[in-house]
Amino acid sequence: MPSVGAYQVMVRRYVEGRLAELARAWGRAAAGFESDLLTVFEDLTGRGQADPLGALAMATGRPRTDLDHLLDVARQRTDHDRA
């Protein structure tokens, strides 16, 4: 089991890599940074990450409140697209 610091670095690098990968894959057709955040947030949640919002905050340097708002925007878009 990696030490706490090593685990945090591993999670941060994973989040940074996933966000960069999604940005490259979608290019100009992307629905926005918010949808990428939601994709990574759901991925972290599915992997059992204890604090996915904290992991996103650590990796992006954004406050939790800002990220929470961006995730809400992405969820609203997703709900709207399904309707």
Side-chain angles (χ1 to χ4, degrees), residues 44-63:
L44 291 170
T45 301
R47 292 172 180 268
Q49 171 65 28
D51 183 15
L53 189 60
L56 285 176
M58 178 182 59
T60 62
R62 293 174 183 247

Side-chain angles (χ1 to χ4, degrees), residues 28-76:
R28 294 185 186 272
F33 180 63
E34 298 89 356
S35 64
D36 291 350
L37 284 173
L38 182 59
T39 298
V40 175
F41 178 84
E42 290 173 346
D43 183 29
L44 291 170
T45 301
R47 292 172 180 268
Q49 171 65 28
D51 183 15
L53 189 60
L56 285 176
M58 178 182 59
T60 62
R62 293 174 183 247
R64 287 173 174 264
T65 54
D66 291 356
L67 290 170
D68 208 22
H69 172 73
L70 293 170
L71 291 170
D72 284 342
V73 168
R75 289 180 188 109
Q76 289 171 4

